[in-house]
Amino acid sequence: RHRVKHLLGVKGDFLWPEFQIQDDAVNVVYFSALVWMSLSTVPYMALIGPLLMYIHFKWLKLSLKYLTRRPFVTETTSLLVTLQRISCFNFVVLGFLVMAQIILIVPYEPNCGPVNGFQAAGQMVWQLDIPLKAVWSDFFAWTLQNRGSIVAVMLMAMLVLWMLHQVSLRTNRSVVEQMSGVANRQVASL
């Protein structure tokens, strides 16, 4: 920090700006969502994306460590809930984007590459010569024949997961209440 103060020409006590967790957390989720969404249209992003995310992480670490002061945060649970909501929304949008690219027909010129321009991408996959194509088509046919059983198993699994979530939610709420009480007592003693 001393070198940064010297470079800025600041003498004496310099009050560093507080690290804004909310803004930077939303920026991280937004940046990663942009990288994920670009994967479906720019295949090279699978190579560039991890490097960009690493550089972004290192920049935030540098800014937290040297360019800002640590924030005093008491409401981390609301921040976590907000981040989970934003992440869920990003995954829903990404899922719709991928489904649209699989289902929609995008016409091409007749001599534009090895693809049929008047078929959806999902239909063209079955025309490719992929390993274990017969196994995958048999599995797909089996899922179509037994879709009622599969839906029942999925609903049962969702019910069990919901019940586990409710139990952990109650436990988490009691722990958060205890921790907030301890934090409030510590803040009051300051």
Side-chain angles (χ1 to χ4, degrees), residues 1-175:
R1 288 184 187 242
H2 177 67
R3 285 185 229 143
V4 175
K5 284 178 20 180
H6 180 69
L7 287 174
L8 294 174
V10 176
K11 295 179 180 162
D13 289 335
F14 177 67
L15 187 61
W16 293 95
E18 188 172 297
F19 187 77
Q20 298 296 323
I21 292 178
Q22 301 88 347
D23 297 339
D24 288 320
V26 170
N27 285 339
V28 166
V29 173
Y30 177 70
F31 181 73
S32 61
L34 286 177
V35 169
W36 294 330
M37 288 181 193
S38 66
L39 281 174
S40 61
T41 55
V42 183
Y44 294 112
M45 191 55 78
L47 300 174
I48 301 169
L51 178 66
L52 290 175
M53 292 178 113
Y54 179 76
I55 291 170
H56 191 246
F57 168 74
K58 286 297 185 179
W59 168 251
L60 288 177
K61 182 179 175 185
L62 175 88
S63 67
L64 176 62
K65 203 170 186 181
Y66 297 110
L67 303 176
T68 58
R69 62 187 159 103
R70 288 190 73 103
F72 182 72
V73 178
T74 58
E75 297 192 17
T76 55
T77 55
S78 63
L79 177 65
L80 290 176
V81 169
T82 304
L83 285 177
Q84 287 177 349
R85 288 179 182 166
I86 293 171
S87 296
C88 286
F89 177 75
N90 286 337
F91 282 118
V92 168
V93 170
L94 179 65
F96 280 127
L97 178 69
V98 169
M99 289 303 293
Q101 288 179 343
I102 290 173
I103 294 171
L104 295 178
I105 297 173
V106 181
Y108 297 98
E109 293 292 324
N111 297 327
C112 182
V115 297
N116 182 1
F118 300 101
Q119 256 185 339
Q123 293 172 339
M124 282 190 274
V125 169
W126 291 107
Q127 295 172 357
L128 296 174
D129 188 25
I130 56 176
L132 304 173
K133 183 177 179 180
V135 173
W136 284 110
S137 60
D138 289 343
F139 177 73
F140 183 68
W142 178 82
T143 56
L144 285 178
Q145 292 172 356
N146 300 313
R147 60 181 169 247
S149 302
I150 293 172
V151 169
V153 168
M154 288 176 63
L155 287 175
M156 198 62 135
M158 287 172 56
L159 178 66
V160 168
L161 288 175
W162 180 77
M163 289 174 15
L164 289 172
H165 174 71
Q166 291 300 316
V167 168
S168 68
L169 190 63
R170 277 190 232 124
T171 305
N172 289 343
R173 283 184 184 155
S174 66
V175 168

